[in-house]
Structure formats: structure tokens, C-alpha cells
Amino acid sequence: GQDNSDTAGRRHFPVNAEAFMRDFTPRLHVTHDRPLYKYVHVGIPHWPMTLDRDCRYIGIKRASRELYTGQARCAVRLVAEFLDRLRELDIYDSSMVIITSDHGIAITPDGFTGERETLGGPLSNMSGSALALLVVKPPHSTGPIRISQAPTMISDIPATIADTMGVKNPFPGTPAMKLDEHTPRPRTFAVYPWSSADW
């Protein structure tokens, strides 16, 4: 942001995350053939809305479904470039890849009914926030992407990794690939009151 007068807006998470991924992805290289675990925090989409679908800085905008969708498309582009880099390095096929979010966004899900107030605000916002993304690509898997409505939780991720890699599973949760999407399951979603004044 040094060459732009609006450095205050450019300090926000999505802008920095986009810059990190643009720098990080082309630098990836293989240094050994031992098993390796990498955690990459992409950080997009995220509040505030500061990037468009082409990952261009748009200033700080009030959140809307349209702007959030645009920022999500930017994230998909950056993650696709990352996965393409793994293919270039010939490690994509043998890798287990998990793409997840820590929560959804407080925008009412399509078709939501049953509005009421909760500790964390309107139930519609909480419902949107409880819709976290989870994508799992096991090693050496082929074929088209399969979409499941299985009621996963973030706490299922360690069990999913251990089960998929064939190691002893000391973790709570259920491997995501073994969940039946037609079987109801209670899901835990925690929310806490937050304010910027808390910083």
C-alpha cells in the first residue's frame, strides 16, 4: 500500500491475504520426499469487503451477498492457482488437500425461515455464520467433485485426516468421508459477543 494513499483500507485481512497468496504460491518448491503437513491460511473471503471478484482493491464496502460472492470468487481463483502449482510440482495427486473455513458469513441463507433473536444477534445471521465450507481431496483420488450435504463440523477435520492417512485416530469427531448426508446429526456451533473495542 505504500504507493497508494488509502493504506488504512489496504491493511485489512482480505487485501493482505491476497498479497500473501500472490507471493507465496509461485515460490512453492519441493525440498524432500518425506511426508509433510502444511497449513495455509488464505483469509479470503473475510470482513470487510475490500476485494472484488478479480481480486482488485475496491476500498472498504458494506457487506452484501453480491460483494461477499465477489470476494469468494477471488478466493477460489487464488486457491485454484495454489492447486495448479501443486500439479506443476507433481505433488497434487499424492497430496491430501482440505479446504475449510472457520465459519460462514452473517448473511441470511437462501430460503431461511424462523427468525428470532439469539445471544449473537438475529438467528438468520447465526445460521449463515454456521455454514462453514469443507472440501476434502484424499490422496490419489480421481473423478469429478462430489457434493455432500453431510452435517460436518470443524472438529471432524483431525479425525478426517487421521482416518484418510490410515493412522491411529485419537481425535474426537467423525471422519467426514464416512458421514451419511441423510442421517441427522446434532452440530455444535459456538458464538461469542465480539466488538472492536475488545482489542
Side-chain angles (χ1 to χ4, degrees):
Q2 292 178 347
D3 59 350
N4 187 296
S5 60
D6 192 8
T7 54
R10 290 177 179 267
R11 69 182 170 84
H12 287 288
F13 209 0
V15 178
N16 286 295
E18 188 270 344
F20 169 78
M21 290 302 290
R22 292 276 181 220
D23 185 64
F24 176 75
T25 297
R27 292 175 185 254
L28 284 172
H29 60 279
V30 177
T31 58
H32 58 78
D33 61 359
R34 297 184 307 276
L36 177 70
Y37 175 86
K38 280 270 191 217
Y39 173 85
V40 180
H41 189 184
V42 177
I44 309 171
H46 201 279
W47 302 106
M49 304 297 106
T50 54
L51 297 173
D52 69 8
R53 64 182 293 138
D54 297 315
C55 299
R56 292 180 301 224
Y57 178 68
I58 57 173
I60 300 172
K61 306 291 183 191
R62 183 176 174 85
S64 69
R65 186 179 303 277
E66 179 184 9
L67 287 174
Y68 186 79
T69 300
Q71 204 174 84
R73 290 187 187 283
C74 166
V76 168
R77 174 177 286 124
L78 294 172
V79 171
E81 290 171 3
F82 175 81
L83 296 177
D84 286 343
R85 179 66 179 149
L86 297 184
R87 289 183 184 95
E88 289 172 9
L89 296 170
D90 200 29
I91 57 175
Y92 175 82
D93 288 339
S94 62
S95 295
M96 178 176 192
V97 177
I98 295 180
I99 302 169
T100 186
S101 59
D102 51 352
H103 55 77
I105 191 165
I107 295 177
T108 305
D110 287 334
F112 178 85
T113 59
E115 187 65 277
R116 65 181 173 84
E117 281 298 311
T118 70
L119 171 67
L123 184 59
S124 57
N125 288 357
M126 291 300 99
S127 296
S129 295
L131 296 175
L133 172 73
L134 179 61
V135 177
V136 179
K137 185 209 75 81
H140 306 292
S141 60
T142 59
I145 292 174
R146 184 177 66 85
I147 297 175
S148 170
Q149 299 299 323
T152 60
M153 296 184 282
I154 292 172
S155 55
D156 293 330
I157 294 174
T160 301
I161 294 170
D163 185 73
T164 301
M165 301 310 291
V167 296
K168 186 176 178 183
N169 180 7
F171 303 105
T174 303
M177 309 303 270
K178 293 185 174 174
L179 284 170
D180 180 353
E181 66 183 311
H182 303 294
T183 302
R185 178 191 189 202
R187 288 193 323 130
T188 300
F189 175 71
V191 65
Y192 59 93
W194 182 88
S195 134
S196 57
D198 295 337
W199 289 103

